[in-house]
Amino acid sequence: MDRFERLAEQVGVLLNAEVEVQNGECLIKKTRAINISSQNKNFNCVLDHDISFKNLKEDGTALNEAGILLLPEELALFTDTLHQQAIPLPINYQQRVDINPNIVCIYMSSEESPEDFATRLSAVFNAIEQNSLVK
């Protein structure tokens, strides 16, 4: 197993997700079940998050990207948890948010170690999961 594959496996453990390595890119397969309420109707959905890293450099940094789907009421918790992490966001971190009435998509990218990126995301997913258990 080479360095890239070991790193992919480690990121998979951090995110509690399956990983697939292909053509120099690690695709992380993270899903989440949610319930969307709209116009007095409930919809159960399984969301696939798009998380990946590629272009691993000698210094251990890579291009990390994620498309995370949330309920609108989870956006503040996501943002707060992301910024409260012990590992600060890197200088080249970028984030874009697309919002519609029932779902929010956060697009993130950074050049940093995949472990740091995954550690932050893991904390966010854990906070959201804990918050949904409290309700």
Side-chain angles (χ1 to χ4, degrees), residues 58-70:
E58 285 298 317
D59 66 0
T61 63
L63 174 60
N64 302 277
E65 297 178 309
I68 308 298
L69 299 169
L70 303 170

Side-chain angles (χ1 to χ4, degrees), residues 73-93:
E73 61 268 21
E74 296 170 332
L75 181 59
L77 179 60
F78 178 96
T79 304
D80 291 346
T81 304
L82 187 68
H83 290 100
Q84 292 172 2
Q85 293 308 298
I87 303 168
L89 292 169
I91 293 171
N92 61 359
Y93 175 81

Side-chain angles (χ1 to χ4, degrees), residues 4-135:
F4 191 85
E5 289 170 331
R6 283 192 307 274
L7 181 58
E9 189 174 286
Q10 185 177 3
V11 167
V13 169
L14 285 169
L15 289 171
N16 190 27
E18 292 183 29
V19 295
E20 181 180 321
V21 175
Q22 57 178 298
N23 302 323
E25 182 172 12
C26 176
L27 305 171
I28 296 101
K29 299 178 180 192
K30 177 85 176 164
T31 60
R32 179 171 165 242
I34 64 164
N35 183 300
I36 297 174
S37 298
S38 178
Q39 299 176 356
N40 297 325
K41 294 182 183 177
N42 289 324
F43 304 93
N44 292 314
C45 304
V46 175
L47 303 175
D48 294 320
H49 299 298
D50 294 324
I51 306 169
S52 66
F53 69 87
K54 61 185 174 185
N55 301 334
L56 183 63
K57 296 180 180 176
E58 285 298 317
D59 66 0
T61 63
L63 174 60
N64 302 277
E65 297 178 309
I68 308 298
L69 299 169
L70 303 170
L71 296 172
E73 61 268 21
E74 296 170 332
L75 181 59
L77 179 60
F78 178 96
T79 304
D80 291 346
T81 304
L82 187 68
H83 290 100
Q84 292 172 2
Q85 293 308 298
I87 303 168
L89 292 169
I91 293 171
N92 61 359
Y93 175 81
Q94 295 180 11
Q95 179 177 306
R96 177 174 59 90
V97 179
D98 289 340
I99 300 175
N100 78 40
N102 299 311
I103 201 90
V104 173
C105 187
I106 299 178
Y107 299 97
M108 309 162 60
S109 69
S110 68
E111 193 168 313
E112 63 182 312
S113 83
E115 298 102 318
D116 288 353
F117 190 76
T119 297
R120 259 191 243 100
L121 277 180
S122 178
V124 168
F125 288 136
N126 288 338
I128 290 170
E129 184 178 314
Q130 290 301 315
N131 189 56
S132 68
L133 294 176
V134 172
K135 291 181 180 179

